[in-house]
Amino acid sequence: MPVRKTIVGIDSPEALERALGSAQYIADEGLATAAYLALALGKPLLLEGAPGVGKTEAAKAISAVLGRALIRLQCFEGIDSAAALYEWNYPRQMLAIRQAGERSINIYDDEFLIARPMLEALRHPETSTLLIDEIDRSDHEFEAFLLEFLSDFQISIPERGTVRALERPVVVLTSNRTRELHEALRRRCVYHWIGYPDAAREAQIVMMRASSVAQATAEAVVGAVGRLRQEPLSKPPGVAETVEWAEAATLLHQGGATWPAAFRRAIGVALKDQDDLMFLQGRLDQVITGIAA
Ligand SMILES: Nc1ncnc2c1ncn2[C@@H]1O[C@H](COP(=O)(O)OP(=O)(O)OP(=O)(O)O)[C@@H](O)[C@H]1O
Ligand SMILES: [Mg+2]
């Protein structure tokens, strides 16, 4: 199976980093390098990180850079091959059998096959990117089943035979690390841990994603979020929360709220856990403004 050694117009991690930037995604050197190598070597890219650090968005941006359609498989507890691969459309098969009468029909024809994300990706590897999102939510059986898919990029449909990709599909897997992934799965991938961005990069992300936000507001929110992440919270704010908090506070400010009260009043978009709010009670304003108590 051919491996993509070059990607048109992208001949280095730096070039990929720039291209991702044009797709509204700010990648650091580590992520750009891992993604570049995964693409160049034809391996799946495994992105792990805390909630809201930009894992899913990275897959979307990679897909956009490649000019491909994103096919997303959202994992969940109990996900099985019917949700991931394919299903037979039983009602249509039954109807066709009834309508056919004496005539013989092939009930395993394409028209009765409902392709799910993994089969779709195998059928159109040159025009799609497969995102297997939140793999840690699935169970071990599904992970074992994925191993086979990721090694050979083929699947067997008993009634039809084997479907094999003509080239290696681009696959991005994400995990929030709510459980450890199997060693064998990791081995097949290029791995990258997405951490929280540094303050300058996070402010850049806020400005890029929320055009209504002033630079000073972005920087203040990034500072406050950085302090919140140092607290032992059960749900520390991700980058998504930083963007939304900056946007929400700006909105309140435009409606007449003063600074820093606007940050305080918009806290519900940054902290979404009552225990965390209780824990910070009384200190929240200091944490937000960075003024020592
Ligand atoms: N590096 C980045 N460049 C641009 N935007 C980013 C970046 N990182 C995060 N974001 C913003 O944060 C939002 C959330 O990111 P995303 O949904 O990808 O997080 P996630 O890691 O998949 O979270 P979860 O684990 O909750 O699914 C994005 O919609 C985007 O606005
Ligand atoms: Mg996600």
Side-chain angles (χ1 to χ4, degrees):
M1 195 179 300
V3 169
R4 280 176 309 276
K5 292 221 169 48
T6 53
I7 311 142
V8 182
I10 297 172
D11 56 3
S12 65
E14 292 71 25
L16 181 58
E17 194 177 322
R18 283 192 297 275
L20 289 169
S22 323
Q24 301 271 295
Y25 189 86
I26 300 175
D28 61 11
E29 191 194 342
L31 173 58
T33 305
Y36 175 77
L37 289 176
L39 292 172
L41 301 173
K43 284 179 154 242
L45 174 65
L46 171 57
L47 299 176
E48 268 194 331
V53 290
K55 301 179 296 295
T56 303
E57 203 64 25
K60 289 183 187 168
I62 290 168
S63 187
V65 162
L66 298 174
R68 290 157 173 246
L70 185 79
I71 300 177
R72 182 175 184 171
L73 176 63
Q74 173 64 54
C75 297
F76 52 88
E77 210 183 316
I79 187 172
D80 60 4
S81 61
L85 274 182
Y86 71 91
E87 260 183 298
W88 289 111
N89 190 336
Y90 291 121
R92 279 195 71 175
Q93 283 175 324
M94 300 306 284
L95 191 69
I97 291 169
R98 234 177 285 136
Q99 285 173 345
E102 297 293 292
R103 277 182 301 120
S104 77
I105 57 155
N106 176 13
I107 55 162
Y108 297 119
D109 196 69
D110 258 1
E111 65 175 301
F112 304 112
L113 187 66
I114 305 170
R116 299 294 185 209
M118 285 166 67
L119 178 58
E120 277 292 320
L122 282 193
R123 283 174 158 183
H124 309 288
E126 67 299 334
T127 54
S128 64
T129 301
L130 176 63
L131 165 62
I132 303 177
D133 216 9
E134 306 187 355
I135 170 78
D136 51 329
R137 286 177 183 238
S138 69
D139 29 49
H140 294 279
E141 290 76 33
F142 185 73
E143 211 180 311
F145 158 78
L146 258 189
L147 273 183
E148 213 184 310
F149 174 85
L150 295 175
S151 311
D152 307 329
F153 292 112
Q154 66 175 42
I155 57 165
S156 154
I157 301 179
E159 302 85 359
R160 291 280 295 265
T162 302
V163 181
R164 187 173 230 276
L166 295 175
E167 65 174 73
R168 281 169 181 269
V170 174
V171 182
V172 180
L173 299 108
T174 78
S175 163
N176 280 0
R177 214 181 178 194
T178 54
R179 68 170 175 83
E180 280 295 317
L181 299 179
H182 204 281
E183 191 54 39
L185 184 81
R186 295 169 177 278
R187 236 185 297 125
R188 280 162 177 79
C189 303
V190 176
Y191 176 82
H192 182 70
W193 172 264
I194 304 190
Y196 293 119
D198 62 32
R201 195 179 294 273
E202 192 158 8
Q204 214 183 335
I205 294 171
V206 172
M207 303 292 293
M208 177 183 262
R209 291 280 166 172
S211 53
S212 63
V213 173
Q215 173 126 13
T217 307
E219 283 167 5
V221 168
V222 166
V225 162
R227 287 185 289 278
L228 286 174
R229 286 181 194 145
Q230 280 164 19
E231 301 283 339
L233 303 178
S234 65
K235 304 258 183 313
V239 180
E241 281 71 31
T242 316
V243 174
E244 283 175 21
W245 195 11
E247 257 181 329
T250 300
L251 201 66
L252 292 181
H253 178 63
Q254 285 165 350
T258 55
W259 301 116
F263 295 128
R264 173 71 183 78
R265 289 171 64 185
I267 192 69
V269 297
L271 292 181
K272 301 170 185 175
D273 184 282
Q274 172 63 1
D275 292 341
D276 287 348
L277 287 164
M278 290 296 285
F279 174 77
L280 289 168
Q281 214 181 21
R283 287 193 303 125
L284 193 56
D285 287 331
Q286 281 90 353
V287 175
I288 289 175
T289 56
I291 301 163

